[in-house]
Amino acid sequence: MKVILDNELEKWAWGMMMRAHHKWEKNHGSLLQAQMECFFFYLFKEETYQMIDKEVEAMLMEAYGPEGLDVI
């Protein structure tokens, strides 16, 4: 299986998902979704929001140019 990641946010998220999956396999104690929520929204909350903000800016800049950043 080949995974195609289009941008930095997807690459970062993929790494986080793989870490969460590894921990889930190791513990077998919780659902994978709950483990990923823990990683994205508790342990790495600030990093998650920073990556989302960067990706939103990049998409707005690509779609609307410099005036697209005024939407934020």
Side-chain angles (χ1 to χ4, degrees):
M1 179 173 91
K2 183 175 181 178
V3 177
I4 298 172
L5 304 171
D6 292 330
N7 53 49
E8 290 301 313
L9 178 63
E10 289 178 0
K11 291 175 186 174
W12 181 78
W14 182 259
M16 296 299 288
M17 288 188 300
M18 293 308 293
R19 282 190 237 159
H21 182 69
H22 174 72
K23 189 171 182 178
W24 174 77
E25 281 183 338
K26 182 179 161 187
N27 294 333
H28 292 278
S30 64
L31 296 174
L32 182 57
Q33 182 178 359
Q35 191 68 43
M36 289 174 56
E37 285 177 4
C38 177
F39 268 77
F40 282 111
F41 298 115
Y42 298 109
L43 299 177
F44 295 97
K45 182 178 182 178
E46 292 300 318
E47 291 89 341
T48 300
Y49 288 139
Q50 288 172 1
M51 289 299 292
I52 290 171
D53 289 344
K54 283 183 3 184
E55 191 59 33
V56 166
E57 280 185 27
M59 288 179 162
L60 286 173
M61 185 68 99
E62 183 180 314
Y64 301 108
E67 54 274 354
L69 295 177
D70 292 336
V71 173
I72 298 175

